[in-house]
Amino acid sequence: MIFRLSDFQFPDSAARLYPHTPDRPWVLEVGFGDGRFWPHFARTFAKPPNYLGVEISGVSLLKAHRRLQDAGLDNAVLTKLPADVLVREVVPHGALDLIVVNFPDPWPKAGHTDHRLLRAPFFELVASRLKPGGTMLLTTDHDEYFEFACAEAAQSGVMAIDTAQTPPPAALETKYALKWRDLGLGVNHARFTPTVHPRLPHGDVSAYPDLAPLPESAVPHAVLTLPATFDPTHFEKQTVRTSRATVVLLDLYASLRRDGWVALAHVVEGELTQEVLVGVTAREDGSHLVRLAKFGGPIITPGVKAAVGAVTDWLEGQGAVIRHRGY
């Protein structure tokens, strides 16, 4: 059940990501890198748990996907999203048995601590998403970030902190762990266990009325006919706001690969920001297809669909006749 990037839409159905498997716990790995941890860790269970991995690197997702396939671990879901966005918007209350964070980005530069994941609000969110008795494990080589994370967990008021345990052996087989071991350096490890489980809301699909139902893997698109007088140089930067997103159409470029143009859109939905390309491509019957480009592996969100709609609306304002809208 390994989902490829193209299978994942946001917000996704919690029921699809979490099929009812009461005999198997659910494990979330935050920042799985090239996927080395899970094949090692899964072997420590008599029956491999269900696995949810989240990353922001598309290259890492592909590497991990191949590694899990080679290991025969098919009860896994891999997604490309910021971890806090996934946990908040998709994971239901009390859904997870274990969260694993191995060697997170420490954002070590002065003034960059706000970019760190392991701050008090995230610990509160984690406490909401873990089952009673569930835990989060942190392993890191960065001493200052380790102290920072433990202090933030204490500040959250919802976590008991145990730094006396050793990390699972699988955590020491990851790319960064091997690097630091070869240098003769050690790692820090902590176990965080919720003392309370606050009920923080999550964004199930039903909470997004502007998320149009689409078949799985459908790509937002429109079909239209451009007027003979269409002039792409008339394009001007513009901002479109919906109930869920802000879309800024930045520029329109001539396509290098096919007859047509490509619009660059900046899409902001809460803490999720994406830059996507929307192509306007000529078809054999004389019409044009407005379609989300796959460049960069965009996550199909309500805001991304709104970006396709914004390009379509602008073309309609230039005299285009819309034949079909699919977003």
Side-chain angles (χ1 to χ4, degrees):
M1 179 179 78
I2 296 180
F3 285 79
R4 298 189 67 88
L5 178 61
S6 59
D7 294 322
F8 187 79
Q9 295 199 25
F10 172 85
D12 209 328
S13 166
R16 189 169 82 101
L17 288 178
Y18 299 89
H20 186 58
T21 51
D23 60 329
R24 295 193 184 191
W26 268 102
V27 177
L28 166 66
E29 183 182 2
V30 173
F32 52 73
D34 60 5
R36 299 189 196 193
F37 171 79
W38 185 238
H40 286 280
F41 195 60
R43 288 198 294 266
T44 65
F45 296 84
K47 182 184 292 186
N50 294 304
Y51 171 82
L52 174 60
V54 62
E55 253 289 351
I56 58 174
S57 166
V59 173
S60 293
L61 187 147
L62 294 175
K63 288 181 179 179
H65 181 272
R66 287 194 293 267
R67 194 179 297 274
L68 268 59
Q69 278 192 322
D70 291 343
L73 295 168
D74 60 353
N75 56 320
V77 179
L78 302 179
T79 66
K80 180 177 180 287
L81 272 176
D84 55 345
V85 174
L86 174 76
V87 175
R88 179 182 302 106
E89 301 291 348
V90 178
V91 179
H93 177 84
L96 298 172
D97 295 83
L98 176 65
I99 299 174
V100 179
V101 185
N102 291 324
F103 300 90
D105 188 342
W107 290 94
K109 294 183 179 179
H112 283 190
T113 56
D114 284 349
H115 297 296
R116 289 175 169 175
L117 175 67
L118 301 179
R119 293 180 290 132
F122 185 71
F123 282 105
E124 295 176 17
L125 185 60
V126 164
S128 170
R129 301 313 189 239
L130 284 169
K131 295 178 181 177
T135 59
M136 184 175 84
L137 305 181
L138 166 66
T139 304
T140 177
D141 58 282
H142 198 278
D143 295 342
E144 188 273 331
Y145 190 17
F146 182 74
E147 295 175 1
F148 174 90
C150 290
E152 290 289 305
Q155 181 181 333
S156 73
V158 296
M159 286 290 182
I161 307 163
D162 180 2
T163 59
Q165 306 296 319
T166 58
L172 304 181
E173 297 296 332
T174 63
K175 177 181 177 180
Y176 287 103
L178 293 174
K179 172 183 175 181
W180 290 106
R181 187 178 68 186
D182 290 344
L183 292 174
L185 302 175
V187 297
N188 303 288
H189 181 73
R191 179 187 298 268
F192 304 96
T193 304
T195 54
V196 296
H197 296 267
R199 292 202 66 90
L200 302 181
H202 84 283
D204 203 353
V205 176
S206 61
Y208 293 77
D210 53 350
L211 179 59
L214 288 178
E216 287 188 9
S217 303
V219 177
H221 66 282
V223 178
L224 49 81
T225 301
L226 291 174
T229 57
F230 174 69
D231 185 352
T233 63
H234 290 168
F235 179 86
E236 295 182 355
K237 176 181 175 181
Q238 54 191 285
T239 301
V240 177
R241 292 182 173 85
T242 71
S243 60
R244 289 287 303 170
T246 298
V247 177
V248 182
L249 298 183
L250 296 169
D251 214 336
L252 186 70
Y253 306 92
S255 174
L256 298 177
R257 298 182 60 185
R258 301 181 64 178
D259 182 22
W261 303 270
V262 176
L264 174 62
H266 183 78
V267 182
V268 180
E269 297 168 89
E271 296 182 9
L272 178 63
T273 299
Q274 301 187 82
E275 287 196 342
V276 300
L277 297 178
V278 180
V280 183
T281 307
R283 305 203 308 171
E284 291 183 358
D285 63 359
S287 66
H288 280 74
L289 174 66
V290 182
R291 184 179 187 274
L292 177 68
K294 293 184 179 180
F295 177 80
I299 303 156
I300 300 177
T301 65
V304 167
K305 294 175 185 179
V308 176
V311 174
T312 302
D313 291 345
W314 177 78
L315 291 170
E316 187 175 26
Q318 302 299 307
V321 176
I322 309 301
R323 297 185 181 182
H324 171 74
R325 297 179 190 265
Y327 50 84

